[in-house]
């Protein structure tokens, strides 16, 4: 039976233990753990608790092609950063300005989610900090690569990505994109992220809100 994680919280505990060892050898820097909503937040909660660092979220919204919403023409992220896939745009004969209406809609949704998850808390200040960006796994990595670019643009001093599971080829690309990459499991036959969890039920908005509040209150859940 291949290694599987009981659930996201259990995976986060294992990931936090691995990261604690990896980061201990690095120079001291103010550190912030960022979870990618929604499924990355339970993992990030346990990582932040193990590292004894604050927890927040970093929101990313895909910019889908009109009529082909699953095809990403780009993405927007916290901090007002837009990242474009110029190969996809070029194939469709479009420019970023042609998708202004889609961008505006996704920006509204990004802002709605931040208000819903964080209330009056604004997007976190990442400039000059060591950021540990956490998700529950990576398939293609499109959203995470958008988040990475937006965090670089926002002035992150040092950027680490940590996930429980990802395919090997994606791991190699991720290693080239960040200062540190931690992945507990790189299966040869990846299939899907959820295959490696015993419980991969959908993370609710309510759970995200509860975990963020618990982290601000001292990780009491």
């Amino acid at each position: 039976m291949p290694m599987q994680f009981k659930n996201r919280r259990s995976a986060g505990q294992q990931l936090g233990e691995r990261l604690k060892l990896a980061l201990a050898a690095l120079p001291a820097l103010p550190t912030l753990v960022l979870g990618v909503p929604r499924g990355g937040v339970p993992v990030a909660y346990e990582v932040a608790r193990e590292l004894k660092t604050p927890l927040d979220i970093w929101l990313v919204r895909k910019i889908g092609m009109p009529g082909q919403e699953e095809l990403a023409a780009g993405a927007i992220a916290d901090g007002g950063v837009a990242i474009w896939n110029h190969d996809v745009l070029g194939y469709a004969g479009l420019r970023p300005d042609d998708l202004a209406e889609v961008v505006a809609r996704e920006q509204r949704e990004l802002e709605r989610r931040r208000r819903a998850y964080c209330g009056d808390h604004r997007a976190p200040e990442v400039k000059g900090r060591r950021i540990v960006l956490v998700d529950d796994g990576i398939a293609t990595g499109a959203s995470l690569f958008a988040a990475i670019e937006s965090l670089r643009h926002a002035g992150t001093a040092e950027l680490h990505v940590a996930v429980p599971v990802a395919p090997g080829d994606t791991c190699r690309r991720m290693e080239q994109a960040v200062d540190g990459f931690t992945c507990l499991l790189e299966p040869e036959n990846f299939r899907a992220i959820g295959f490696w969890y015993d419980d991969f039920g959908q993370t609710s908005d309510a759970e995200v809100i509860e975990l963020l509040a618990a982290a601000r209150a001292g990780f009491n859940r």
Side-chain angles (χ1 to χ4, degrees), residues 3-42:
M3 172 186 172
Q4 284 186 297
F5 305 106
K6 180 180 178 181
N7 52 38
R8 290 180 177 89
R9 298 283 293 272
S10 175
Q13 291 164 8
Q14 296 177 53
L15 195 57
E17 291 170 0
R18 179 78 64 84
L19 276 163
K20 189 174 182 178
L21 293 173
L23 298 181
L26 298 179
L29 268 178
T31 300
L32 174 65
V33 172
L34 296 176
V36 179
R38 288 177 294 197
V41 176

Side-chain angles (χ1 to χ4, degrees), residues 145-169:
F145 282 115
I148 289 165
E149 188 165 341
S150 67
L151 284 163
R152 294 288 196 201
H153 184 84
T156 299
E158 189 177 294
L159 181 54
H160 297 255
V161 167
V163 294
V165 60
D169 58 341

Side-chain angles (χ1 to χ4, degrees), residues 103-121:
V103 172
R105 183 178 69 240
E106 294 300 339
Q107 183 66 43
R108 289 193 296 271
E109 176 61 16
L110 186 151
E111 292 167 357
R112 184 199 69 79
R113 289 192 175 201
R114 177 155 286 282
R115 288 194 302 271
Y117 294 152
C118 302
D120 294 333
H121 294 273

